[in-house]
Amino acid sequence: MSSRSPRSSTRVLMLAVATLVALLGSPGPVRAADDPVGVWPLAPVPEVIERFDPPTDPWGSGHRGVDLLGRAAQPVRAALPGRVAFAGRIAGRGVVVVSHGDTRTTYEPVTADVAAGDALVAGDAIGHLEVVGSHCFPRACLHWGWLRGETYLDPLRLVGGGPVRLLPLWRDQEIRPAGGLVGRPFAVGRW
């Protein structure tokens, strides 16, 4: 017969789970069920220099997209299929906007190789990265944005790099994360 109490066994189990999470890391980003699946606009997968930091109000400060480290003249690709809504210069900076129905993605600074009205599939080249106008000058980086109407969204959600969401251990319903894996977390007893 075991000399451990149920309470002691639960603590050991919790310690083992905490150790496993610490060693393996968090489960990673979870794509919202209604997010489209896109491709990175730069290849290979770039370093994210500055993450999405939306303003608290429409006129407030923040970072309304992400900055991806690239190199001068690097090809820039459409993250999602759509139609070019704008390709030109705004305040001296090359900008491409691609419409995807109720959302649109923005890319700057880019020398456009496309024109308004062009149809695109995800991964199609839309232009080349410019250094002038870069958020990371003197380095070249792509400012990549995603909007629904006038609301800015985190474009990293399109490539599975959005915010990490941890699920509580005490859930007893089925969990269906992105990728189709299904599992039930174990129930944790009360202390």
Side-chain angles (χ1 to χ4, degrees):
M1 178 151 228
S2 173
S3 62
R4 285 192 185 173
S5 70
R7 191 173 284 190
S8 175
S9 296
T10 300
R11 287 185 182 144
V12 170
L13 179 60
M14 289 303 297
L15 180 59
V17 169
T19 302
L20 184 62
V21 168
L23 290 174
L24 297 177
S26 71
V30 176
R31 185 187 316 275
D34 59 346
D35 283 351
V37 176
V39 299
W40 286 92
L42 297 177
V45 173
E47 178 183 347
V48 176
I49 297 297
E50 186 159 347
R51 296 188 70 86
F52 181 64
D53 181 22
T56 55
D57 51 58
W59 55 87
S61 65
H63 195 242
R64 294 166 171 85
V66 297
D67 292 338
L68 307 175
L69 184 61
R71 64 183 190 286
Q74 182 175 358
V76 177
R77 307 176 307 157
L80 297 169
R83 189 166 298 278
V84 177
F86 177 84
R89 301 198 80 72
I90 298 176
R93 181 178 298 151
V95 177
V96 175
V97 179
V98 180
S99 176
H100 315 285
D102 71 331
T103 67
R104 61 193 183 281
T105 50
T106 60
Y107 310 83
E108 60 179 277
V110 175
T111 301
D113 292 336
V114 292
D118 288 353
L120 302 168
V121 298
D124 276 354
I126 59 172
H128 292 83
L129 189 57
E130 299 175 345
V131 175
V132 176
S134 169
H135 282 66
C136 309
F137 188 80
R139 299 183 298 175
C141 71
L142 177 70
H143 179 79
W144 179 33
W146 186 35
L147 296 97
R148 176 172 284 115
E150 298 304 313
T151 303
Y152 289 88
L153 307 170
D154 185 351
L156 293 179
R157 288 173 34 196
L158 300 174
V159 291
V164 173
R165 293 181 182 94
L166 297 178
L167 299 173
L169 291 175
W170 56 88
R171 289 178 61 133
D172 60 354
Q173 67 230 34
E174 195 172 277
I175 298 172
R176 292 187 176 273
L181 300 176
V182 177
R184 285 185 181 277
F186 56 86
V188 176
R190 296 180 189 236
W191 296 94

